[in-house]
Amino acid sequence: MRRLTGLGTYSMSFTGVVGPLPRGYELLWERMHEMSPGDPGGSRFTALLTRGLGGQVDADALEKALADVTRRHEMLRMRFKTTGLDPLVEIVEDVEAELHVEDLRHHPPSERQALVAHVLYLESVRAFDLVAVPVWRACLLRLSEDYSILCVSFPDFLFDAWSDRILVQDLMACYSARLGLSRPPTPVSYGYRDLLNLHERQYGGRGPRIQEQVSRLHPLPRPLSIDPRDTAASDLLIDPAAIDFSVSSEVSARLDDCATRLRTTQYVVLMAAYYLVVASVSGSSKVVVSTVTLGRHSKAERALVGQFGQDVFVPVNIDWKGSLEAFVQQVHRALADARLARTGYRNLVELLGEAHRPRPWSDLHLFDSYFQSVVPESSESFPGPLRVDHELEVIPAPLPGVDEYPRLGDVPSEAMPVWWRQAQPWMLVDSRRQGGTLNFNRTFYDESQVKGRITSFLEVLRAIADDSGQPVWKAVG
């Protein structure tokens, strides 16, 4: 372990500040607190960065570069003074940035993939100590003389998908500077106080426009789901799986034409199709359209490690006799209205008249029908002597008979509903809108159920591509 000495050009003007979480972090914090009451760091709600590094890695220089990056970004030096429902956080100056190195070179090549998946699994299920610094962890897995894998794990509220590229870019630039191959990158001038002010401007509003739109949310429809298996307390809790799907080029092109004609995006068309499937499975005519939006609007924000993804939840009534394209337009309008009426999560709860209820407000966590897109990978090369591999096909997985999963019996009974919802299937589509994955938990859901949802989804997409004017009931069947 090394004290963070860093490169001398980095400013720490906001060091020592204590304040609340930014407004944009409220929803994720409530979710973590609900999953692990009294200890949100134990929720195992983890964001995982993994990158392959081609070339001979100087681990000492890489650890020092990691310290430099930690000095650059205040959110990487954040710790919690309190961990209640209204926490206080502190930006710390003296942070130990440690890079744990694990050498897998002595293992046979046939075993290394499983060992890497094992390490990534352990990182994904370990709890975080939120009162210590840093609240994240980093490790380097050496696979050969000229190839290693970097893994950095964060509590999800701290790190969004866009931050992945920022951290890797800054780390490679600082690594190159540590080797004397380039000058250090310019300091990051945007910090915690700026983020607080930004979120206050973006999500602090509670005017008539917001109240008018929020009124549409009340009463919220109940969460929709396919039925999970009966799961005993001794059964495994975390068993993630993903089933891939693809949309043919022909169907994708016609969906794009449909989106253009309806003055929306292909993403919204895909969303609408998925929610029709969710509604048909659950037998409900009212769904909650939920997705994530990226809240980075300026050059300064786009250079900052942090969490800028904002969840949008909008109830939509389905007219089964109406046309498919009318429903697509309805989803588009609902999302547009939600963006125009952004407000903080706690503001939202108060406006819904829920403030008198015990927190967290679990019925606002409607993850069972969640729909999201991957952040497009940048084609740019990163600075420095190492080749950074964007395409790592390693899924976290335990070694049979070695790892202990968290078990249902270890979860407080009051937290069980959100654990169940967290396990429910959710859709992730690729940046080209020609495929994706449906993610689910094998402990709770039978794979045939999930494959059935994918089959129905692809059938609805083809129906929209063939004739978007046909009625919803006919397309859904």
Side-chain angles (χ1 to χ4, degrees):
M1 297 174 68
R2 295 174 173 81
R3 286 285 172 185
L4 184 147
T5 54
L7 303 180
T9 58
Y10 297 145
S11 168
M12 294 184 293
S13 58
F14 303 127
T15 294
V17 67
V18 176
L21 274 179
R23 283 186 177 270
Y25 290 28
E26 291 172 349
L27 174 61
L28 289 171
W29 180 257
E30 297 278 351
R31 186 194 309 181
M32 290 175 60
H33 210 285
E34 187 175 3
M35 293 178 72
S36 182
D39 179 23
S43 65
R44 302 178 182 90
F45 200 59
T46 305
L48 208 61
L49 178 156
T50 55
R51 283 289 185 269
L53 302 179
Q56 294 186 355
V57 178
D58 183 330
D60 184 68
L62 188 63
E63 184 176 55
K64 291 177 180 177
L66 185 65
D68 298 332
V69 174
T70 306
R71 184 178 292 267
R72 283 174 61 77
H73 294 280
E74 290 189 351
M75 299 308 286
L76 297 179
R77 292 185 277 115
M78 184 179 74
R79 77 174 187 90
F80 282 76
K81 299 282 284 185
T82 62
T83 56
L85 286 166
D86 297 290
L88 289 176
V89 300
E90 177 184 18
I91 306 301
V92 179
E93 175 182 357
D94 192 16
V95 175
E96 293 182 344
E98 181 181 10
L99 178 67
H100 173 71
V101 179
E102 189 159 345
D103 195 340
L104 304 179
R105 289 176 293 183
H106 60 283
H107 291 278
S110 59
E111 296 180 4
R112 290 175 193 163
Q113 186 87 349
L115 290 170
V116 171
H118 164 71
V119 172
L120 297 185
Y121 162 76
L122 292 178
E123 285 302 314
S124 68
V125 299
R126 281 175 58 189
F128 292 95
D129 183 358
L130 300 181
V131 301
V133 284
V135 300
W136 46 269
R137 300 180 294 265
C139 67
L140 182 73
L141 308 178
R142 290 192 182 275
L143 301 187
S144 67
E145 292 298 327
D146 59 0
Y147 195 79
S148 302
I149 292 179
L150 174 70
C151 172
V152 190
S153 56
F154 301 84
D156 189 69
F157 72 88
L158 183 60
F159 195 82
D160 62 14
W162 192 274
S163 298
D164 188 310
R165 181 173 58 185
I166 298 170
L167 190 144
V168 174
Q169 179 172 298
D170 284 2
L171 182 61
M172 293 299 101
C174 291
Y175 177 70
S176 180
R178 281 291 179 181
L179 295 178
L181 301 176
S182 63
R183 295 177 60 85
T186 57
V188 174
S189 59
Y190 199 96
Y192 171 78
R193 282 178 177 163
D194 300 288
L195 190 60
L196 282 179
N197 293 334
L198 171 72
H199 281 201
E200 186 61 36
R201 292 195 302 272
Q202 290 184 336
Y203 307 110
R206 300 170 65 173
R209 170 70 173 172
I210 290 176
Q211 295 186 28
E212 173 190 345
Q213 297 301 325
V214 167
S215 65
R216 297 177 58 235
L217 286 168
H218 196 50
L220 283 166
R222 302 310 303 168
L224 309 175
S225 176
I226 57 178
D227 293 330
R229 296 169 172 165
D230 290 332
T231 307
S234 59
D235 287 339
L236 302 181
L237 182 60
I238 298 178
D239 192 10
I243 299 179
D244 296 333
F245 68 89
S246 61
V247 180
S248 70
S249 298
E250 174 197 358
V251 171
S252 179
R254 283 188 282 153
L255 290 175
D256 192 38
D257 290 342
C258 177
T260 302
R261 187 179 71 256
L262 299 179
R263 309 187 83 173
T264 187
T265 66
Q266 192 167 347
Y267 182 71
V268 172
V269 175
L270 295 174
M271 284 185 70
Y274 183 63
Y275 288 111
L276 288 177
V277 173
V278 170
S280 67
V281 170
S282 63
S284 174
S285 294
K286 192 170 188 178
V287 296
V288 173
V289 174
S290 53
T291 188
V292 67
T293 60
L294 195 63
R296 296 176 184 264
H297 306 292
S298 67
K299 184 177 180 180
E301 295 164 60
R302 288 191 288 271
L304 188 68
V305 170
Q307 175 59 257
F308 287 79
Q310 303 302 313
D311 291 333
V312 173
F313 301 100
V314 189
V316 175
N317 289 307
I318 299 174
D319 178 5
W320 297 100
K321 296 181 180 179
S323 68
L324 289 168
E325 61 182 37
F327 182 69
V328 171
Q329 292 174 314
Q330 187 180 359
V331 171
H332 176 96
R333 288 193 299 271
L335 290 172
D337 286 345
R339 291 292 293 152
L340 291 173
R342 291 181 302 182
T343 189
Y345 180 64
R346 292 171 193 166
N347 286 349
L348 173 65
V349 171
E350 291 177 7
L351 289 169
L352 288 172
E354 301 284 346
H356 64 281
R357 291 182 49 196
R359 288 170 57 191
W361 303 274
S362 58
D363 57 348
L364 293 181
H365 298 280
L366 303 172
F367 305 122
D368 53 325
S369 53
Y370 201 61
F371 193 94
Q372 187 176 335
S373 173
V374 299
V375 173
E377 288 286 6
S378 171
S379 60
E380 65 181 327
S381 59
F382 292 103
L386 300 176
R387 185 189 76 255
V388 179
D389 186 359
H390 295 279
E391 303 294 337
L392 274 183
E393 297 183 358
V394 181
I395 298 175
L399 292 177
V402 173
D403 299 309
E404 284 294 328
Y405 286 98
R407 297 181 179 273
L408 293 182
D410 299 332
V411 178
S413 59
E414 66 269 24
M416 280 306 303
V418 75
W419 277 94
W420 282 76
R421 287 196 299 278
Q422 187 64 29
Q424 290 171 353
W426 60 278
M427 181 74 76
L428 179 67
V429 297
D430 65 29
S431 57
R432 296 182 301 117
R433 313 302 185 229
Q434 292 186 351
T437 61
L438 189 58
N439 301 271
F440 69 105
N441 188 301
R442 282 176 295 209
T443 297
F444 295 144
Y445 296 95
D446 186 88
E447 189 167 319
S448 62
Q449 287 181 306
V450 180
K451 287 182 176 179
R453 184 179 281 199
I454 292 176
T455 299
S456 299
F457 176 60
L458 295 176
E459 289 174 349
V460 173
L461 288 179
R462 179 168 286 279
I464 295 174
D466 290 343
D467 178 13
S468 62
Q470 65 179 297
V472 171
W473 68 263
K474 184 177 181 180
V476 175

